[in-house]
Amino acid sequence: MKSEGIGGAPEPEWLREAQAGGCYTEDITPSACLHAAFVRSPHAHAEILSIDTSASQVEGVVGIWTAADIPANVQAIPCIVPLINHDGTPRANPPRRLLALDKVRHEGEAVVLVIATSLRTALDAARAVVVAYRPLPAVTDAALALLDGAPNIWNGIPRNLCFDWQMGDEARVESAIKGASTVVELEITNNRVVVSPLETRAAIGWTDLSSGRRVLITSTQGVHWTRDVIARDVLGWDPDTLDVITPRVGGSFGAKIFVYPEQVLVLLAAERLGVAVKWIGTRDEAFLTDTQGRDHRTRIQLALDGDARFLALRADTTANLGAFLSNYAPFNPTTCGAPLLAGAYKIGCLYTRVKGALSNTPPVDSYRGAGRPEANYALERIIDVAAFKIGMDKVELRRRNLIGPNDFPYTTATGIRLSGGLFLDNLEKAAIAIEYSSYPKRKHRSKANGRLRGIGVANYLEANGGMALARIQEAGGLPRESARITFMPGGSLQVDIGTQSSGQGHRFSYRKILSDHLQIPRAAILVRQGRTDRLRQSTGTGGSKSLLAGSTALLQAGDLVIEKARLWAARSWGVVPQNVAWSEGYFVAKSRRATLLELAEAANDRSGNAHVFSVEACATIEAGTYGNGCHICELEVDPATGEVALLRYVCVNDFGEIVSQRNVKSQVHGGIAQGIGQSLYEDCRFDSCTGRLLTRDFGSYNLPQAKHMPRFEVLLNHGSRGSNRLGIKGCGESGASGAPPAVMNALQDALEKEIGLQATQIQMPATPDRIWNLLNPVLY
């Protein structure tokens, strides 16, 4: 690890604290640090007529910037995902500037940056800035944004249509639908959610003027990605001149993958002013400016033959992108989520079309699952509608159409090639665990007690590993990840790895993997993340790929260590390398044997140079993983109030080999909780006239609480390995894919006897008032 700066100068103490990674960004305060605050738009859509900063020119204020003060060579923050419309033209590309230039396009957009010697002074000065606006009509609903006559958000993007993308054979699907015995159709809302990590976004910029070294300390899901976008794409810097450090991260769920204007602006300000500049986002700013999730409207059709086999599926989706394109925004509803529309089912053919709409709302991007939960929700909801219409048990309909053990290898209707999976076994075991066969008796008891009981089933298939995104960024591309193993004085190893934990327990898993591989005590291994100066490149965390990517790099680095140690032992012992074996934690040759740590101690020349066994590996991830499972939820509805009580929740999951059962189950618990939150509680709403956010704090935006949760029965199914050395499969986002359809299907089941087919129209979030209104329709 570096202990000195450029030219041998010692690192500032605050910088060493950040590098150690034991604190959060807010805990770090550089010496002579300046503080940043922003003037943000109170309007969702308005022209900027004038900006008066005269009242803010007070003692302690050292800088006030508007868009006119941004250097001309600074570029807009890019969306890195290219997308081709169905007519062959490229998607629209609205620029995301650091500060609003001529008009604002969503409430909370930054207009003015204020820098001062204290946070209080910066906030007071920001409040004194007077911005004159001319409000414009706003549109927050994606479907309305695409209508003729809707407020135009960007010149040159007619009808606010950013892209119009398709996948599959439309003619074949339409032919199958026309010839089907049964066709069911459903309009589905996948509601917008506020991501709500415990730690808000934060950034500290610093430039060492004596050396030209630049540092950004910020909460991310991957430092190299953040560095490259900011340095190369936005600022035009050589990425090697910028160090990005991410200390501890207090939750992310996708939102901290992306580059935001505040990160770039503190760096620019630090470079211009010659001192560190710090910004800590407030919870108000998080609600208004963090990327948000989901927000899809889908019309889905499923065609079945006379034996209830799935012939064809069609899904037409309108995806709300917000006012700007965040870095991955077009990826989620298209090339990431759409291939999962077939799930783990045998579907004859499939077609989907996605329209991406711009609106006067904060940008929408990846949120736990990134398009896959949205696809799975649509699929599993329409299957229950089909079961209801044809009068077949929902488990039997799924059983009849799931890919079975004798079907592998199997290519789904969307082109995903599966070599294995425990799809049917997951379903059967989940049904047994929740005592599905005796459910009718329980439903009858609830009815006698004045309650409506329902049970909901949802299978899921995950595609993890970062494969789709890598192919988008480079034709035929594969994801890569890096790991470094450094031998330290005193017999310990430091592991630097490119993934980034935000609470998932990565360090424990990596220590276990390397300990098992090198046969050394876990206590001898220190795992560090979040430093660009320790690794040449990495892809960070996202898409449930960390353990797959990180372990691949770590095992490759471990192989290099073993080979280096074997060659050193051969030279030291005077034997040919072929005669030195690595077996059960020992290097063995004739009568000689030693552990890795014993050899490392002997090879330490104590010169201060890097240890001869230290290595860095950059591994290519050759194949993704396909975690899968079945969720079943049982609940009751109080018809007098519309309140929902979750009674039992069972899920059976095929995650391949398990490194840490505790970490896996914790991740599943969190995903289920977020899925329940979206299903029943989280209601992100905008004023339809002004476009302003109505649910702007935790008093009006309801997160799920522990009291709402049943005991989660998370079962791990064994017998199917992932296509990697450890045999693992991604698990971190699976709960968010399985929970929403399981809960909503259970709710539909509870209401079907009362209101018939109308029960299929229940949408997320199914709040008590919405349920009550369905049960008690008002006649006009």
Side-chain angles (χ1 to χ4, degrees), residues 77-78 96 98 201 225-230 234 255-264 291 326-327:
I77 296 173
R96 189 179 188 186
L98 303 185
R201 292 189 295 111
W225 150 259
T226 302
R227 178 199 66 183
D228 291 349
V229 171
I230 290 176
V234 180
K256 292 174 184 173
I257 294 174
F258 311 114
V259 170
Y260 292 85
E262 297 88 352
Q263 294 165 314
V264 184
T291 58
S326 181
N327 301 131

Side-chain angles (χ1 to χ4, degrees), residues 563-586:
E563 183 61 14
K564 279 193 167 190
R566 192 176 69 84
L567 294 175
W568 187 91
R571 289 193 300 271
S572 176
W573 296 345
V575 298
V576 295
Q578 300 93 297
N579 290 339
V580 179
W582 166 250
S583 176
E584 297 182 355
Y586 288 91

Side-chain angles (χ1 to χ4, degrees), residues 484-632:
R484 172 186 282 192
I485 299 175
T486 304
F487 284 76
M488 309 294 286
S492 63
L493 278 67
Q494 176 172 310
V495 171
D496 291 279
I497 201 151
T499 61
Q500 180 63 55
S501 176
S502 54
Q504 299 97 322
H506 289 176
R507 289 179 174 85
F508 172 86
S509 296
Y510 290 142
R511 279 199 298 268
K512 184 178 187 301
I513 291 167
L514 192 61
S515 170
D516 292 347
H517 189 47
L518 299 182
Q519 295 292 292
I520 61 176
R522 295 179 197 175
I525 302 170
L526 174 67
V527 177
R528 292 283 175 86
Q529 303 174 81
R531 288 179 59 180
T532 55
D533 65 334
R534 295 292 300 171
L535 292 170
R536 284 187 288 272
Q537 191 53 265
S538 73
T539 55
T541 288
S544 297
K545 68 180 176 65
S546 289
L547 201 59
L548 168 64
S551 69
T552 302
L554 193 56
L555 291 172
Q556 186 170 309
D559 292 342
L560 295 175
V561 166
I562 290 170
E563 183 61 14
K564 279 193 167 190
R566 192 176 69 84
L567 294 175
W568 187 91
R571 289 193 300 271
S572 176
W573 296 345
V575 298
V576 295
Q578 300 93 297
N579 290 339
V580 179
W582 166 250
S583 176
E584 297 182 355
Y586 288 91
F587 293 91
V588 181
K590 296 182 179 178
S591 61
R592 305 287 296 271
R593 80 173 195 165
T595 67
L596 176 62
L597 293 183
E598 288 169 346
L599 284 185
E601 176 62 23
N604 185 2
D605 63 8
R606 293 171 175 77
S607 65
N609 296 323
H611 194 286
V612 67
F613 294 173
S614 295
V615 299
E616 181 174 341
C618 182
T620 298
I621 316 305
E622 300 288 348
T625 69
Y626 297 96
N628 57 90
C630 178
H631 289 225
I632 304 183

